[in-house]
Amino acid sequence: LEFAEKQVDELITKGYDGIALDGIGYNNYYACFCPYCLEHLQKYAKKSGLQKNQATFRYYEDVLISFCNELIRYAKKKKSGIIITGHVWPYFAPDPLYGNRIDFDYCGQTTSWFFYPHWAVDKMERYAYEIVRNQNAFFRRNLASPFIGISASPERDVKSPERIREEIRIVKQSGARAIQMAELGAIAGNPEIAAAVRG
C-alpha cells in the first residue's frame, strides 16, 4: 500500500486529474500463501468461525477490496475531485464480479476477454447485466463500466468487426452509462475493427 501511495503521489504531483488501477490481484486468482498472509488468514479463520475454504475466500477478497478502497481514499484525500477508475483484474475466481465493493468512480469489470476462445455471448450478457444491476449495492458513485478486450493479433485472437459491434451492443443494452475498452495491438491500423469500435 505504501508503494502504491507513492505512485499516487507522483501522479498527482505531475498534475493528473484521474488515476486508473489495474493488475491488482493474485497470480493464481484467489490467494497468497506467503508467511505473512497465512498468519493473518489463520487469525481471520479463527475469529470468523467459517469453514476453511469459506474463510480463505472471504479473507483474500476482503484484502483486495480493502487495499483498493484505502488507496482510493488516499488519492481523494490528496487531491479533491480526482477521478479513480479501475479494471478489476486479475479476476478473483471465487467472486469474479466483486468490483461493486470498491469505491471507484468508474468500475471496469470484464464482460469480454481478449483471447480466443472468446467468451460466449450469453456469458457476456449475464456479466454485463449483473455488473450494471449491482453497481450501487455498496457505493453510490460506483458507475459500472463493463470492460471489453480487443486484440489485433495474433490472428486467432482477432474478433470480427461484427463480433465487436455485438459486444458493444450488449454493453449498451445492459443499461451501462459507461464502457471500458482496451486493445492489444494496433486497432487503429485495422480500418474495419476501428470502424466497429467507432460505431
Side-chain angles (χ1 to χ4, degrees), residues 25-100:
Y26 306 107
N27 286 338
N28 62 10
Y29 306 111
Y30 77 99
C32 172
F33 297 109
C34 75
Y36 178 88
C37 284
L38 289 175
E39 178 187 336
H40 284 78
L41 169 61
Q42 193 173 27
K43 289 176 187 174
Y44 178 89
K46 240 183 230 181
K47 189 176 176 182
S48 72
L50 296 169
Q51 291 182 349
K52 186 179 177 183
N53 278 351
Q54 283 182 309
T56 299
F57 296 149
R58 179 79 52 84
Y59 171 75
Y60 285 112
E61 183 174 30
D62 287 351
V63 167
L64 279 175
I65 291 163
S66 174
F67 176 87
C68 291
N69 284 337
E70 286 185 43
L71 188 58
I72 292 166
R73 275 192 292 276
Y74 179 83
K76 288 190 175 284
K77 187 176 175 185
K78 293 290 273 193
K79 184 172 184 174
S80 175
I82 195 165
I83 302 296
I84 309 292
T85 185
H87 176 211
V88 180
W89 179 87
Y91 77 98
F92 182 67
D95 181 12
L97 301 180
Y98 70 90
N100 63 346

Side-chain angles (χ1 to χ4, degrees), residues 111-127:
T111 56
S112 155
W113 199 231
F114 298 96
F115 310 113
Y116 185 84
H118 301 127
W119 288 10
V121 170
D122 66 331
K123 178 179 179 178
M124 264 202 75
E125 286 176 335
R126 195 170 64 250
Y127 272 40

